[in-house]
Amino acid sequence: MSSRCTPGLPHVDAVTPAVLVLPGPVSRGETPRLCDEVRALLESTRAGVVVCDVGGLGPPGLAVVDLLARLELTARRAGGRIRLRDPDPALHALLDLVGLRFETERQVEQREPPRGVEEAVEPGDAAV
């Protein structure tokens, strides 16, 4: 009697979310097509999330806010949601201003170094 060990976890069905790249600038006439793409990606991947790469949208404006709100509404109606990738800080500020919250992919957090830690030591510095 022998058994073969399969790689990974056999009971976990990992689903990678689909990525939709939003080229900029996006006209209002393209919104229905992009909503259809979000709906189709949610149905085909069954991931529940579509990652929208918004890095190429250019300077944010109300047209971008309208597009993202419509994409999120379409995703919610299809049983999913959208996640933003590479959003501009100005886009974050504009979305906060109009009261819309979107999940974003992990970004490197910039923080101050911990207290008492020196980044570089110069010759002749006293030891702490």
Side-chain angles (χ1 to χ4, degrees), residues 82-87 92 95 102-107:
I82 65 170
R83 182 183 306 148
L84 303 182
R85 174 183 288 169
D86 197 23
H92 267 298
L95 291 171
F102 287 96
E103 183 179 336
T104 58
E105 285 193 332
R106 289 190 153 182
Q107 297 174 341

Side-chain angles (χ1 to χ4, degrees), residues 1 15 19 23 26 29 38 45 48-49 57 64 69 85 96 102 107 120-121 123 126-127:
M1 191 161 126
V15 180
V19 177
V26 178
V38 166
T45 61
V49 176
L57 281 177
V64 172
R85 174 183 288 169
D96 284 342
F102 287 96
Q107 297 174 341
V121 177

Side-chain angles (χ1 to χ4, degrees), residues 26-28 31 60-68 94:
V26 178
S27 69
R28 192 166 177 95
T31 301
L62 292 179
V64 172
V65 171
D66 180 62
L67 171 67
L68 293 176
L94 187 57

Side-chain angles (χ1 to χ4, degrees), residues 42-105:
L42 284 170
E43 290 172 1
S44 66
T45 61
R46 297 188 331 238
V49 176
V50 173
V51 176
C52 293
D53 189 340
V54 295
L57 281 177
L62 292 179
V64 172
V65 171
D66 180 62
L67 171 67
L68 293 176
R70 289 177 187 275
L71 292 177
E72 177 69 11
L73 181 60
T74 299
R76 295 280 177 160
R77 287 179 177 164
R81 63 185 189 281
I82 65 170
R83 182 183 306 148
L84 303 182
R85 174 183 288 169
D86 197 23
D88 187 87
L91 179 59
H92 267 298
L94 187 57
L95 291 171
D96 284 342
L97 182 67
V98 297
L100 294 174
R101 302 280 187 255
F102 287 96
E103 183 179 336
T104 58
E105 285 193 332

Side-chain angles (χ1 to χ4, degrees), residues 9-28:
L9 300 171
H11 62 281
V12 176
D13 182 21
V15 180
T16 305
V19 177
L20 176 65
V21 178
L22 300 175
V26 178
S27 69
R28 192 166 177 95

